[in-house]
Amino acid sequence: MSTGTERSPAVVGKLSTLDRFLPVWIGVAMVVGLLLGRTIPGVNDALSAVSVDGISLPIAIGLLVMMYPVLAKVRYDRLDSVTGDKRLLAASLALNWVLGPALMFTLAWLLLPDLPEYRTGLIIVGLARCIAMVVIWNDLACGDREAAAVLVAVNSVFQVVMFSVLGWFYLSVLPGWLGLEQTTIEASPWLIAKSVVIFLGVPLVAGFASRYFGERAKGRQWYEEKFVPGISPWALYGLLFTIVVLFALQGDRITSQPLDVVRIALPLLVYFAVMWGGGYALGAAIGLGYERTTTLAFTAAGNNFELAIAVSIATYGATSGQALAGVVGPLIEVPVLVGLVYVSLALRSRFAATPPKSIVHHD
């Protein structure tokens, strides 16, 4: 993974081929996935058939492989410095659970007033706050790993408690108050909790166990200098594998409805830009420093598309417009947030040095 120092040309030149050309590999993975889904008969059915209780097993494996190295790098003995940062926690809650759903609701109604299925799907995406892939974007942008671990944990708790409540409010209650078309959503607490346990709980426990037992057995120096560099590339391998599988599963639908994809993409682009920019501006305004401002911005901009797709399929069916809107989410999110990683790194020099307690050394 990238170093924690500022990326001067000399530093970039020392990066691995995987790191240096990451946008290229992600683009290739997206194209490969789309081509697989489009050209190989039955590949999406085969991948969909390999599932556990409705969750695609290949996607679950890819996400677990992707998240484990990042969570194994977290210094869990530093988490108290994050939980004591009330500004960070309050800002994250406001962005994720007040601004995010309200913004997506507004954009969906403004830009898709004539497409109720896609509109509903986007509102569901806005309710599903990110607990998985955000750790990768945060790590690539040299954000605060400990802060990311805490914020995704907070999002997980709120997701289990608030997802169904907010879904009922934004799809039924608020439209009724405004004289708009109302709809319904079915999202059982078990479905939401299952997403949290699989995509966050498993790699979090594995990462904590690796550090705890690794440091006890061979010491922190061995863990940081030998073990961590060895597992680091697997985060990006898992990311690329996940992208290939995800786009292979939905390749036919995406390429067969290009105009619909464009309509869905527009509010998503505005959403990601506003949420990331708002998080970045807020973090800078309240003096969080570069690392935690970056973490705040990416946790605000990312969404749990796995949960959004699962809820849409369970409620409206696999071939519904709501499900397609959920699928288009990562199609737009992946390249946009990769681009924002580089924007974030370019803005790094504008920040004053952060206090020592929040400095995170990236490997």
Side-chain angles (χ1 to χ4, degrees):
M1 300 290 276
S2 56
T3 64
T5 57
E6 188 171 346
R7 289 190 173 186
S8 65
V11 172
V12 173
K14 295 177 182 178
L15 294 176
S16 68
T17 301
L18 183 64
D19 272 336
R20 197 182 314 157
F21 298 106
L22 178 60
V24 176
W25 308 137
I26 287 178
V28 170
M30 293 169 67
V31 171
V32 169
L34 289 172
L35 289 176
L36 285 175
R38 231 2 221 180
T39 60
I40 300 181
V43 66
N44 51 355
D45 293 333
L47 290 172
S48 299
V50 186
S51 62
V52 178
D53 199 14
I55 294 179
S56 170
L57 188 59
I59 289 180
I61 291 173
L63 287 169
L64 294 178
V65 172
M66 176 189 76
M67 292 184 65
Y68 165 70
V70 179
L71 292 173
K73 296 176 187 178
V74 170
R75 287 285 300 274
Y76 292 93
D77 55 344
R78 294 177 178 170
L79 292 184
D80 58 342
S81 72
V82 180
T83 56
D85 192 340
K86 294 182 174 56
R87 297 172 305 164
L88 175 65
L89 294 177
S92 179
L93 288 174
L95 287 169
N96 277 287
W97 297 102
V98 179
L99 177 61
L103 175 63
M104 190 68 90
F105 174 86
T106 302
L107 291 172
W109 272 101
L110 285 176
L111 299 177
L112 299 174
D114 57 327
L115 298 171
E117 290 190 358
Y118 298 155
R119 184 178 64 236
T120 298
L122 284 181
I123 292 172
I124 293 173
V125 170
L127 298 175
R129 312 313 302 167
C130 195
I131 62 170
M133 203 169 282
V134 68
V135 298
I136 286 288
W137 313 134
N138 178 74
D139 211 49
L140 290 171
C142 299
D144 188 322
R145 287 190 186 123
E146 287 68 42
V150 169
L151 293 186
V152 296
V154 170
N155 273 347
S156 298
V157 173
F158 268 76
Q159 202 148 245
V160 173
V161 175
M162 296 301 297
F163 186 92
S164 295
V165 175
L166 289 174
W168 166 73
F169 177 75
Y170 279 106
L171 292 174
S172 182
V173 176
L174 185 57
W177 289 351
L178 299 175
L180 303 173
E181 180 182 346
Q182 297 172 279
T183 184
T184 58
I185 184 175
E186 294 178 11
S188 69
W190 165 238
L191 176 66
I192 301 164
K194 178 176 62 177
S195 173
V196 170
V197 169
I198 292 176
F199 297 123
L200 176 63
V202 171
L204 184 62
V205 170
F208 176 82
S210 294
R211 181 170 283 278
Y212 179 78
F213 292 110
E215 288 189 358
R216 291 195 66 177
K218 295 194 175 184
R220 177 161 293 178
Q221 182 176 358
W222 172 86
Y223 188 87
E224 296 286 353
E225 297 179 4
K226 299 293 184 181
F227 183 75
V228 166
I231 64 171
S232 290
W234 284 94
L236 297 185
Y237 298 153
L239 171 64
L240 297 176
F241 174 79
T242 302
I243 291 171
V244 170
V245 173
L246 184 66
F247 283 78
L249 281 168
Q250 305 294 340
D252 184 68
R253 297 183 64 199
I254 291 172
T255 55
S256 63
Q257 302 178 60
L259 293 180
D260 288 353
V261 169
V262 172
R263 288 288 306 272
I264 297 168
L266 182 56
L268 284 169
L269 286 170
V270 176
Y271 172 84
F272 292 134
V274 172
M275 291 300 295
W276 187 90
Y280 215 91
L282 179 58
I286 62 178
L288 292 181
Y290 174 79
E291 286 84 1
R292 290 187 178 177
T293 293
T294 296
T295 301
L296 179 65
F298 280 101
T299 51
N303 291 85
N304 185 355
F305 59 83
E306 304 89 6
L307 175 60
I309 293 171
V311 169
S312 294
I313 290 175
T315 303
Y316 305 105
T319 60
S320 65
Q322 291 89 341
L324 178 60
V327 169
V328 175
L331 174 70
I332 306 303
E333 178 178 334
V334 170
V336 168
L337 293 191
V338 168
L340 289 174
V341 165
Y342 288 90
V343 173
S344 184
L345 290 168
L347 294 173
R348 190 175 184 188
S349 62
R350 296 177 178 270
F351 283 80
T354 52
K357 69 177 183 178
S358 65
I359 292 178
V360 180
H361 299 283
H362 289 250
D363 302 284

